[in-house]
Amino acid sequence: MERAEQAKGPPRVLTQGKQIIFGVSLMAPVAIFGTYGVATEISDGMLPTAYLIAFLVMLITAYSYGRMVKVLPTSGSAYGYVQKAVHPYAGFLVGWTLLLDYAFVPMLSVLFLGLALHDMLPAVPSVGWVAVLVAFSTLLNIRGMQTTIKVNRVIVGLQFLLIAVFLGLCAYKILHPALSAPPSSAPLFPNHSGVLHSVIAGTALVCQSFLGFDAVTTITDESVEPQRTIPRTLIIVTVLMGALYFFIAYLGGLAFRGGSFSSTDTAALELMNFLGGAAFENLFMVVSAASIFVLVVSQQAGISRLLFVMGQDRVVPQRLFGHLHKRHMTPVGGIIFIGIFTVVVSSLVDLVTLASFINFGAFIAFAFVNISVIAHYYVRTGQRSVRTTLMYFLIPLAGVVCNLWLLANLKSQALIVGGAWVAAGLAYLAVKTRMFRQMPNWGIFDHV
């Protein structure tokens, strides 16, 4: 009975268009504004350059994810790819670090929104807002991806409408120098080593805006023809959002050129007020709030599906995570667990601490997905012609180097917290494998 449930799996209802909507909602077009001021300061004013470099690194990684989907079309994402292509132990540790990324991204989003709503209505504590938002998100996810996609479609449309107005206002300010600082070309290339160091630090930070494209692979089991559609979706979403982020950063910088933000935390609000007055600032707040909620819904969907696959493999408790809702065919155990976990932990930590957790797990997973491409295609199947050496060795090797380079440029707090999380994972793995003396039975991802 248990095997029959696993074999049946969730229904394949997600077409290419729905996959793209899911991916875009995970990355959230307005996400760039959350770190706009901080990233501008860290990158020494070269925010467009930081986004351009981040886009190139993420594009290589999206390509590698697409290669692995073709040989392993399942919702295990980086966890499954590394376990099959490299080693089960490595796969577990990548899945463990992904939990750090996937679990805390929705928590960061919902806590930010809860704090904002608390400022608007102080009578309700932030944890109360978080509980209400998470409860609604949990109900939507239990009902299934079709419901989630319907909500996402509306909010993603509003975000693109807001950004279209933003870019139009930027163009108006740039073309009317009397209304703003004199227009000039913003530099895209560092002119000395100090600026280069700032750009690298900025790149490590803004990569957070791209986190989510990889979670498209967590809906593989619910996608139509995943081996064909998912790789395309990964590239489309990454290119679309990379171009969007670049133009927002570049045109926003040109329109506001000569000005300075009174606070990096409120830089986005100041920019909106500068471009369109209080009305546009309020519109931005409303759309951002709705967008953050949809982001939480999509992120909760992604992590619950990773937990479902790990539950099927008995890496995490199968009784809780490895089963589907009988009616809606959704991983109800993981959805509810993440909901409760989000509310509890959000009441105990602050935004800065949460933010330090996220990029560490992502960069580790991204590096290993690139390694998986090399291990499977170049080493195991021996595809070593000139063309395949470029496709399956040189390109993913560049992805490995770039992701490790960005990992090394994270703040020391992130490295310490991430290192402690990996150490805890190693300890858990040691217990599960009797001090690495036996290979655990991890179901469909048994190493071959």
Side-chain angles (χ1 to χ4, degrees):
M1 184 72 177
E2 180 181 292
R3 289 293 181 185
E5 179 185 347
Q6 291 182 15
K8 184 178 179 182
R12 294 191 180 276
V13 296
L14 301 182
T15 59
Q16 182 109 64
K18 292 177 180 178
Q19 294 167 17
I20 292 172
I21 291 171
F22 181 76
V24 169
S25 69
L26 277 167
M27 294 175 71
V30 298
I32 180 176
F33 296 112
T35 57
Y36 194 92
V38 175
T40 298
E41 181 179 65
I42 291 177
S43 64
D44 201 12
M46 300 191 70
L47 186 59
T49 310
Y51 268 104
L52 183 60
I53 297 173
F55 162 69
L56 294 175
V57 175
M58 294 301 106
L59 185 61
I60 292 173
T61 303
Y63 162 82
S64 291
Y65 267 93
R67 295 301 94 190
M68 294 309 299
V69 169
K70 287 183 176 295
V71 296
L72 191 62
T74 183
S75 294
S77 189
Y79 157 70
Y81 309 151
V82 178
Q83 190 176 132
K84 183 172 179 64
V86 181
H87 195 278
Y89 292 169
F92 167 80
L93 289 174
V94 166
W96 184 264
T97 60
L98 269 180
L99 291 177
L100 190 69
D101 174 14
Y102 286 2
F104 288 105
V105 167
M107 198 179 302
L108 181 68
S109 302
V110 77
L111 179 57
F112 174 79
L113 184 54
L115 291 170
L117 291 172
H118 172 64
D119 286 342
M120 295 173 62
L121 295 172
V124 181
S126 59
V127 68
W129 285 114
V130 168
V132 170
L133 292 167
V134 169
F136 190 29
S137 172
T138 299
L139 289 175
L140 284 175
N141 273 307
I142 290 175
R143 289 183 60 84
M145 288 303 301
Q146 289 281 45
T147 302
T148 302
I149 292 295
K150 288 177 182 177
V151 175
N152 286 352
R153 185 183 293 120
V154 174
I155 303 303
V156 167
L158 288 176
Q159 290 184 74
F160 276 107
L161 180 61
L162 176 73
I163 289 172
V165 175
F166 170 85
L167 295 176
L169 290 172
C170 285
Y172 185 77
K173 291 284 188 180
I174 293 168
L175 295 173
H176 294 77
L179 300 178
S180 64
S184 61
S185 59
L188 287 177
F189 301 103
N191 53 19
H192 57 82
S193 59
V195 175
L196 177 60
H197 177 75
S198 297
V199 171
I200 294 172
T203 301
L205 174 64
V206 303
C207 277
Q208 184 171 327
S209 299
F210 286 88
L211 301 187
F213 82 88
D214 57 304
V216 170
T217 59
T218 66
I219 58 172
T220 300
D221 288 343
E222 292 156 281
S223 296
V224 177
E225 299 182 71
Q227 289 166 296
R228 180 180 65 85
T229 58
I230 291 291
R232 292 181 183 177
T233 298
L234 289 165
I235 297 299
I236 290 171
V237 169
T238 305
V239 170
L240 174 64
M241 299 306 296
L244 196 64
Y245 290 152
F246 174 81
F247 282 112
I248 288 173
Y250 190 68
L251 294 180
L254 286 179
F256 200 67
R257 196 159 178 76
S260 59
F261 299 117
S262 59
S263 170
T264 56
D265 293 335
T266 60
L269 295 178
E270 292 180 46
L271 180 60
M272 300 305 162
N273 191 284
F274 169 78
L275 292 173
F280 188 56
E281 181 182 351
N282 291 333
L283 175 64
F284 170 76
M285 284 290 293
V286 172
V287 174
S288 294
S291 302
I292 290 172
F293 173 71
V294 169
L295 181 63
V296 172
V297 174
S298 297
Q299 289 164 340
Q300 187 179 16
I303 180 61
S304 66
R305 280 148 180 80
L306 175 62
L307 286 170
F308 172 67
V309 173
M310 296 180 79
Q312 285 186 315
D313 285 356
R314 301 180 182 86
V315 177
V316 294
Q318 185 183 36
R319 185 182 298 273
L320 176 61
F321 299 110
H323 298 282
L324 299 174
H325 190 282
K326 291 183 179 179
R327 178 182 175 187
H328 300 297
M329 299 301 290
T330 51
V332 61
I335 292 170
I336 293 175
F337 174 82
I338 288 299
I340 296 173
F341 180 74
T342 297
V343 174
V344 172
V345 178
S346 295
S347 66
L348 301 175
V349 297
D350 56 28
L351 286 172
V352 175
T353 303
L354 283 176
S356 68
F357 292 155
I358 296 169
N359 281 356
F360 180 91
F363 289 147
I364 291 289
F366 292 170
F368 268 95
V369 169
N370 283 289
I371 291 172
S372 296
V373 173
I374 297 172
H376 177 80
Y377 288 97
Y378 190 77
V379 176
R380 181 173 299 173
T381 64
Q383 300 188 42
R384 300 180 182 179
S385 67
V386 174
R387 175 174 172 272
T388 55
T389 295
L390 174 64
M391 293 175 59
Y392 302 134
F393 182 74
L394 295 178
I395 291 178
L397 179 62
V400 174
V401 172
C402 289
N403 278 289
L404 293 180
W405 173 51
L406 293 174
L407 176 69
N409 280 276
L410 290 176
K411 290 186 176 180
S412 58
Q413 181 185 15
L415 296 175
I416 293 171
V417 172
W421 180 257
V422 171
L426 278 170
Y428 178 76
L429 182 62
V431 172
K432 291 281 289 185
T433 60
R434 298 183 182 275
M435 294 304 295
F436 309 105
R437 289 195 298 266
Q438 67 182 36
M439 197 69 68
N441 178 21
W442 282 343
I444 61 173
F445 294 120
D446 286 343
H447 185 61
V448 294

